[in-house]
Amino acid sequence: MMIRPAELAAIKAGTVDLAFRRWAKPRVVVGTRMRTGVGVIEVTSLEQVSVSSLRADDARRAGAPSLGALKKALSARSEEPAWRIGLAYAGPDPREALRAAVPDADEIATINARLDRLDAASAYGAWTRETLDLIDLNPTVRAPDLAARVGRETADFKKDVRKLKELGLTESLAIGYLLSPRGEAVVDAGLQAPRERAPRETGTPLPRNIGAPATRALREVGVTTLEQVAGHSAADLAAMHGVGPMAISRLREALAERGSRLAGD
């Protein structure tokens, strides 16, 4: 179930608790938990409704500008049933805490056993340590470029990286990946000495939804965190090649969620 960043922020804030979708059949059930950019969102209710029965309160709770706007949005694919979905913020993504948890020797042995099982189940052989090493040595490099270096299709490569992310070993960035502190500990345990790495950047990473062109443009001027974005005005950002109105809007949303804003706003 796709939910726009602004709606996710509103669900987390508690100002939105409904969504409406046209689906031939339900794509979620009550109790479904979705990991999103703001944390875990839970489906609290699900019912089929007629668009004619919707009221202004439904539109308000769904974050729509008006009842008319909500009905217009639901006019597409009118041959499919309309569904009313209750949503609630269910807390931070548990993988965030897992990534920061540096494992002891026993935990590293358990993680390595899990990696061995992933390798054994693969149709193309062992890949887990190679992928961890590839990400460690090439942080913030695009997934297609990493996949090409090991002769893999991008889609399959990204699917495997998600398996490592589930174990808390990697972090997804706006462009590319990074080993988490947990992943670094696992890699270092297999080396004769810990690997030297650049210091981790402090601050809130740039939102992944601003797009690669905007991320590259910001990086070129040394802006890699939201805190640094807040020092620039909308005009400053718009003057950067690759930073368009949508990226600026999403940066504003991300800053607002953290009680901040662009310079001059």
Side-chain angles (χ1 to χ4, degrees):
M1 178 177 174
M2 299 296 294
I3 306 175
R4 293 187 301 110
E7 293 168 344
L8 288 172
I11 293 168
K12 181 178 181 180
T15 57
V16 165
D17 65 356
L18 288 179
F20 292 86
R21 296 290 187 272
R22 287 279 193 184
W23 290 332
K25 58 182 180 181
R27 300 181 186 176
V28 294
V29 298
V30 174
T32 293
R33 287 192 160 207
M34 301 170 285
R35 287 177 301 208
T36 73
V38 302
V40 179
I41 303 297
E42 182 173 355
V43 176
T44 57
S45 63
L46 177 70
E47 61 179 323
Q48 187 175 334
V49 296
S50 65
V51 174
S52 62
S53 70
L54 301 182
R55 297 293 180 263
D57 188 56
D58 293 309
R60 178 188 61 78
R61 292 174 59 190
S66 66
L67 177 58
L70 175 60
K71 289 184 174 182
K72 182 177 180 181
L74 291 170
S75 63
R77 303 202 312 274
S78 59
E79 72 281 0
E80 295 181 355
W83 300 89
R84 184 180 191 267
I85 307 118
L87 300 169
Y89 178 67
D93 188 333
R95 292 176 300 183
E96 293 181 11
L98 183 62
R99 290 195 294 263
V102 177
D104 59 21
D106 289 340
E107 288 178 295
I108 288 175
T110 300
I111 294 168
N112 277 322
R114 176 59 177 151
L115 296 178
D116 289 340
R117 290 195 292 273
L118 289 173
D119 285 339
S122 171
Y124 39 82
W127 60 271
T128 58
R129 276 73 169 192
E130 177 186 58
T131 303
L132 287 170
D133 208 47
L134 182 68
I135 292 171
D136 195 20
L137 295 172
N138 301 277
T140 74
V141 173
R142 296 171 61 246
D145 297 332
L146 293 177
R149 294 186 188 191
V150 289
R152 299 280 308 278
E153 293 292 331
T154 300
D156 288 339
F157 179 81
K158 293 173 74 172
K159 182 173 65 176
D160 280 344
V161 174
R162 284 196 292 272
K163 295 174 185 176
L164 299 175
K165 187 176 181 180
E166 288 298 315
L167 297 176
L169 305 180
T170 66
E171 303 175 23
S172 296
L173 307 176
I175 297 178
Y177 307 101
L178 190 69
L179 286 195
S180 66
R182 188 176 187 82
E184 291 176 354
V186 170
V187 168
D188 285 346
L191 303 174
Q192 290 185 342
R195 180 171 284 159
E196 292 187 9
R197 302 176 177 90
R200 284 182 170 270
E201 294 177 347
T202 59
T204 308
L206 296 174
R208 294 172 57 190
N209 63 4
I210 64 174
T215 300
R216 283 193 292 268
L218 289 166
R219 283 183 181 175
E220 286 175 2
V221 296
V223 176
T224 58
T225 68
L226 270 178
E227 289 77 7
Q228 292 169 329
V229 170
H232 293 73
S233 68
D236 293 335
L237 297 176
M240 299 178 191
H241 180 68
V243 183
M246 183 61 71
I248 294 173
S249 175
R250 289 173 175 171
L251 288 168
R252 276 192 168 116
E253 290 170 0
L255 287 168
E257 184 183 339
R258 290 160 178 81
S260 185
R261 59 187 179 181
L262 293 175
D265 276 9

